[in-house]
Amino acid sequence: MKKTFTTSKLIAVILLLIGNLSYAQDIEITWGKEEINKKKATYIGGVIGSDQNGYFFTREVYGGLFSGPTKTSVIRNNMDHETESTFELPSKINGKDAVRQGLYRINNETVLFLSQLDKKADVNKLYYVSLNSSGEKIEEKLVDEINYKGRKDKGSFGIHYLDDQKQFLITHNEGYSKKGNEEVNYKLYTEKLSLIWDKAIELPYKDKAFSIYGYQTDDNTNVFLYGSLTIDKKTERKTVFAYYHKTQKLEEVEVGFGKAARVSDVNYSYYDGALNFTGFYYDTKGGIQGVCITKINTNTLETILEKNVPFSKKDLLLFTTERNAKKGKGIIQNFDIKNIIVKENGDFFIVGESYQVVVTTYTDPKTGVTRTTYTYYYRDLMVVNVSKNLEIKWVSKVPKNQVSVNDGGRFSSFVLAYNEENFYFLFNDNPKNLSPKTKPEKKGKYLCATAKTKKSVVNLATVNLKNGELENEIFFKSKNKHAFIPKYQERLNSKQILVYAEKGKSYQFGILSVGK
């Protein structure tokens, strides 16, 4: 069974930038001192939360090239980036090894989920552990389990923190079945892990044919599973299964997207009594033609909005050729929606990124050794301004062409900040794309190998919110500086963002301030 889990919100506010001192009128960053990971195979794992006085991040020690972390510590720094406390996360339950399934910072506590196989009883167990700021255990409890007796597949747990509703939805699947129907086991908990309700549900489709995309809950703690049913090689049907726990009813509704032949991975959210689906839609020739928006009432499962908003020929020409646009072909690149930002007047902006992973497997004919290479491509950005009346005001293209191998795209993708006037996109780029000597039609097309940080620069791409006009400039040169990692960030408040950068074994945290 294929599974793709995404966390979606109607309003995604990510204000994240990099800099050295003050590079733009409304942007300023103050770096902390340089720190060094002194021990071998030690890395910063990421930021897990913050409060008014400081922030928490993880440091991980790895035992080998293909092993997971053997030790994870949580460090608390104050806002001056001074370390106030450090504690190691538990990796055992009842004295036996366990595997970390989730890590969160909620209500001044570190929340940890660990799974453990009870081989004598043939049971896969999931535990919840909460720790205070000193690492002392507050609570430990068993929250779910899978009986896998007689099966090789031990099953899997899914932990979905629905922060808008302040709830944990714990799901588990009891193992892949070629012949059996899809089974989903729900347990809905409060943030403090008090059980609200639980239910095992069998869906009316075969396990191998149905893919789960995501979950939402409404104000009445009902659960809505969004997924896709494969009809044949060319046809998929998007659907939502709604489980109403008070009546114990399971209902299904097909999610329509107008006349779209297919849609991208949509942004899926719950807001104001409705499930919201926003994505890019494709024509029968395989190209993106515009934006699709669908809303479904969670009480009645009635479709209250289903609309395709097409791009103009001018919009299409930003991403395709005159010849293709004239023939009615859409945009060939695949775009994932990264952000949806809603203004007070009801207008909103969609930010999409062209993303692709290419998997190459090679077997040496002499030795029989097989090697697999993962190549990550992070390409152009698309910004779409849609009015509250669902009309496209403008479309802007931010040219970008990044590649890396076997690193998960660590230094790739982009960061985004904005104020009332502009979007500010920052990303590692090839300096040729910003050189005044480069012809306009070639700018943005030169490849940037993002792992080679000394050879890249940071591109500051500014998009005007009124008309979508784009300006590019060098934010700073990466040589001899710490390289910013876009995926590590924490919004401290409406004006300040915690940012992170690396150079070899050394690292720095900084606090970014955005004006206006």
Side-chain angles (χ1 to χ4, degrees):
M1 177 190 65
K2 300 177 291 182
K3 285 195 177 183
T4 305
F5 295 107
T6 59
T7 302
S8 304
K9 298 179 183 178
L10 181 67
I11 303 176
V13 182
I14 301 178
L15 302 174
L16 182 59
L17 277 173
I18 58 176
N20 192 24
L21 292 173
S22 178
Y23 292 91
Q25 182 180 358
D26 303 323
I27 300 167
E28 187 176 64
I29 187 166
T30 304
W31 289 103
K33 66 178 181 179
E34 181 178 335
E35 302 284 352
I36 298 176
N37 285 316
K38 297 179 181 179
K39 295 183 179 180
K40 189 177 180 181
T42 300
Y43 308 93
I44 300 301
V47 179
I48 62 172
S50 63
D51 55 33
Q52 292 182 345
N53 302 312
Y55 55 92
F56 296 79
F57 63 98
T58 60
R59 179 184 287 124
E60 298 180 337
V61 179
Y62 286 76
L65 182 62
F66 299 105
S67 67
T70 58
K71 176 182 177 181
T72 300
S73 299
V74 173
I75 297 97
R76 174 182 171 80
N77 279 3
N78 60 28
M79 290 305 181
D80 293 322
H81 309 292
E82 299 168 334
T83 298
E84 294 185 338
S85 66
T86 301
F87 62 86
E88 186 177 343
L89 289 178
S91 59
K92 295 180 181 291
I93 295 291
N94 299 323
K96 297 181 180 180
D97 289 340
V99 178
R100 190 170 80 215
Q101 299 289 338
L103 178 63
Y104 306 85
R105 183 72 192 174
I106 302 172
N107 296 329
N108 298 320
E109 296 178 9
T110 298
V111 174
L112 178 68
F113 289 89
L114 296 168
S115 66
Q116 184 183 72
L117 296 178
D118 184 340
K119 296 181 180 180
K120 291 184 178 180
D122 287 340
V123 175
N124 192 356
K125 298 180 178 180
L126 181 69
Y127 290 87
Y128 159 87
V129 180
S130 63
L131 310 167
N132 64 18
S133 295
S134 299
E136 297 171 338
K137 191 177 295 184
I138 301 172
E139 185 179 10
E140 176 182 303
K141 63 191 296 184
L142 177 68
V143 294
D144 201 7
E145 57 185 14
I146 301 170
N147 188 329
Y148 62 87
K149 188 173 183 179
R151 301 196 312 270
K152 292 182 179 180
D153 193 333
K154 307 298 188 294
S156 60
F157 298 102
I159 302 161
H160 316 279
Y161 178 54
L162 307 169
D163 53 355
D164 289 339
Q165 302 289 348
K166 306 301 180 186
Q167 296 165 350
F168 277 104
L169 176 65
I170 308 296
T171 63
H172 81 242
N173 179 276
E174 297 193 355
Y176 174 74
S177 174
K178 292 183 179 180
K179 298 181 179 180
N181 287 357
E182 177 78 66
E183 294 182 1
V184 181
N185 292 263
Y186 292 147
K187 286 191 176 182
L188 189 64
Y189 287 92
T190 66
E191 252 185 351
K192 289 288 188 179
L193 262 287
S194 295
L195 184 65
I196 301 173
W197 57 262
D198 66 296
K199 180 69 175 179
I201 296 171
E202 181 176 309
L203 305 182
Y205 301 126
K206 297 297 183 184
D207 199 346
K208 65 178 181 179
F210 191 75
S211 299
I212 297 174
Y213 290 155
Y215 297 91
Q216 292 292 335
T217 58
D218 66 4
D219 297 330
N220 299 313
T221 66
N222 300 308
V223 171
F224 302 86
L225 181 160
Y226 172 51
S228 177
L229 176 68
T230 299
I231 307 299
D232 52 46
K233 291 182 179 180
K234 296 183 178 180
T235 309
E236 288 186 341
R237 188 176 78 209
K238 310 298 183 184
T239 188
V240 164
F241 283 98
Y243 178 69
Y244 299 95
H245 67 96
K246 291 182 179 179
T247 59
Q248 297 189 4
K249 287 185 177 180
L250 178 67
E251 298 187 23
E252 179 186 3
V253 59
E254 183 174 352
V255 184
F257 293 99
K259 297 180 180 180
R262 67 182 183 91
V263 296
S264 64
D265 290 337
V266 302
N267 182 291
Y268 174 48
S269 65
Y270 170 77
Y271 177 73
D272 195 24
L275 300 175
N276 297 269
F277 306 83
T278 305
F280 298 112
Y281 73 88
Y282 295 74
D283 61 12
T284 55
K285 298 176 183 179
I288 293 176
Q289 291 286 356
V291 174
C292 56
I293 302 167
T294 297
K295 293 186 178 183
I296 295 176
N297 184 294
T298 53
N299 291 324
T300 64
L301 294 185
E302 176 189 2
T303 298
I304 55 181
L305 176 66
E306 184 178 326
K307 186 170 183 177
N308 296 151
V309 189
F311 290 144
S312 67
K313 181 181 177 181
K314 178 182 176 182
D315 299 332
L316 292 175
L317 283 174
L318 293 171
F319 299 91
T320 191
T321 64
E322 175 76 36
R323 181 180 180 182
N324 285 341
K326 192 173 182 179
K327 291 182 177 181
K329 294 182 178 180
I331 301 166
I332 302 303
Q333 291 174 272
N334 290 320
F335 282 84
D336 294 337
I337 291 182
K338 296 294 186 177
N339 310 97
I340 297 180
I341 301 162
V342 182
K343 297 176 66 176
E344 290 184 1
N345 66 359
D347 291 359
F348 61 96
F349 300 89
I350 301 171
V351 178
E353 182 176 32
S354 179
Y355 171 73
Q356 183 183 17
V357 180
V358 176
V359 181
T360 306
T361 301
Y362 169 76
T363 302
D364 191 310
K366 294 182 179 180
T367 64
V369 175
T370 299
R371 295 181 178 87
T372 300
T373 300
Y374 296 85
T375 306
Y376 299 87
Y377 294 95
Y378 291 77
R379 295 191 174 103
D380 297 333
L381 302 177
M382 181 193 297
V383 186
V384 184
N385 182 199
V386 184
S387 73
K388 63 180 179 181
N389 298 321
L390 302 184
E391 296 177 347
I392 293 178
K393 289 186 172 183
W394 52 259
V395 177
S396 183
K397 173 185 176 180
V398 181
K400 183 166 66 69
N401 194 6
Q402 300 168 316
V403 65
S404 63
V405 178
N406 293 338
D407 69 343
R410 185 174 178 82
F411 295 97
S412 295
S413 197
F414 67 97
V415 294
L416 168 64
Y418 58 84
N419 55 23
E420 295 176 357
E421 298 177 354
N422 300 304
F423 282 136
Y424 303 100
F425 296 93
L426 281 97
F427 49 89
N428 295 319
D429 203 353
N430 188 321
K432 290 183 179 180
N433 291 319
L434 297 167
S435 172
K437 297 180 180 179
T438 301
K439 294 180 180 180
E441 64 271 17
K442 290 189 175 182
K443 288 189 175 182
K445 294 184 178 181
Y446 285 102
L447 197 65
C448 176
T450 54
K452 298 178 180 179
T453 56
K454 291 183 179 181
K455 295 184 178 181
S456 65
V457 297
V458 173
N459 185 338
L460 170 60
T462 302
V463 177
N464 187 290
L465 297 187
K466 291 183 179 180
N467 53 31
E469 290 184 356
L470 170 68
E471 293 183 2
N472 290 280
E473 61 183 293
I474 293 178
F475 199 54
F476 69 76
K477 296 180 179 180
S478 300
K479 188 176 181 180
N480 299 323
K481 294 182 181 294
H482 287 67
F484 190 80
I485 297 181
K487 297 173 184 178
Y488 289 13
Q489 48 91 13
E490 175 76 9
R491 184 156 62 102
L492 302 174
N493 53 55
S494 61
K495 295 292 184 181
Q496 291 185 313
I497 312 298
L498 182 72
V499 294
Y500 174 79
E502 283 185 350
K503 183 178 72 175
K505 293 183 178 181
S506 67
Y507 64 90
Q508 283 180 300
F509 283 100
I511 294 179
L512 164 75
S513 299
V514 181
K516 293 186 181 181

